[in-house]
Amino acid sequence: GEDLFDGTSFERFVDNLGGHIRANINYDPSHFVLQQLDYLQFIDLYHDRIKAFHVNDAEFNPSGRQGVYPGLAGLDDRAGRFRSLGDGQVDFIGIFSKLSQYGYGSWAVLEWECCIKSPEQGAAEGAPFIANHIIEVTQKAFDDFAGTAADETFNRKVLGI
């Protein structure tokens, strides 16, 4: 569920369940932006437990009057607020790269909670935004540009030895 927003709480939860394999994470970077938590390092730490991904954006713009705790400010006047995909501060290129690096193969679900943009526009822009960020993982090593095995005879001929 989305009741556990940080690694410390999640680790405690997993410990209380004896490390049960079904204690997993629905990763939502927007909540981490609002908490000012390093959401990319979170993937490094907990990638084996991330089983779902809410693709949701947010922004955090603190001032001398307001920070992480919004006090009595309305949703659209808070320092931290949810935004439509691409309108906030979440580094989706970094997130999709890390999830791909760790072999994530589950859902990337659009979650819309913008305080400014309409849900219709958010959905119309959000679906292609996700599709454009999904990484087709390569099956070749980055330095295997030729796609062939080494040929010692050819290499010696080219080098003149």
Side-chain angles (χ1 to χ4, degrees), residues 148-161:
T148 61
D151 181 338
E152 188 173 341
T153 304
F154 175 77
N155 291 343
R156 288 181 177 279
K157 184 177 178 182
V158 169
L159 295 172
I161 53 174

Side-chain angles (χ1 to χ4, degrees), residues 20-115:
H20 200 284
I21 63 168
R22 292 189 186 199
N24 293 303
I25 296 166
N26 179 12
Y27 179 76
D28 185 334
S30 66
H31 290 283
F32 296 144
V33 167
L34 301 182
Q35 285 181 258
Q36 294 296 283
L37 185 144
D38 186 335
Y39 53 86
L40 293 176
Q41 186 182 48
F42 186 93
I43 296 171
D44 292 330
L45 295 169
Y46 305 107
H47 58 87
D48 58 329
R49 297 276 186 165
I50 296 174
K51 304 299 180 190
F53 172 21
H54 270 183
V55 189
N56 196 7
D57 211 342
E59 64 186 359
F60 184 71
N61 300 303
S63 69
R65 291 192 167 120
Q66 199 180 109
V68 174
Y69 303 109
L72 300 175
L75 291 176
D76 58 343
D77 291 325
R78 292 181 177 180
R81 56 193 190 170
F82 296 109
R83 298 298 311 274
S84 286
L85 296 185
D87 292 347
Q89 298 167 342
V90 172
D91 176 5
F92 287 106
I93 292 172
I95 291 170
F96 277 88
S97 294
K98 281 194 177 285
L99 289 175
S100 296
Q101 170 189 340
Y102 290 116
Y104 178 78
S106 191
W107 292 92
V109 178
L110 170 63
E111 182 179 12
W112 178 89
E113 295 181 279
C114 189
C115 62

Side-chain angles (χ1 to χ4, degrees), residues 102-138:
Y102 290 116
Y104 178 78
S106 191
W107 292 92
V109 178
L110 170 63
E111 182 179 12
W112 178 89
E113 295 181 279
C114 189
C115 62
I116 297 174
K117 192 174 281 183
S118 76
E120 293 80 13
Q121 184 180 3
E125 294 174 356
F129 182 93
I130 292 171
N132 290 334
H133 281 79
I134 292 175
I135 296 171
E136 184 178 327
V137 179
T138 183

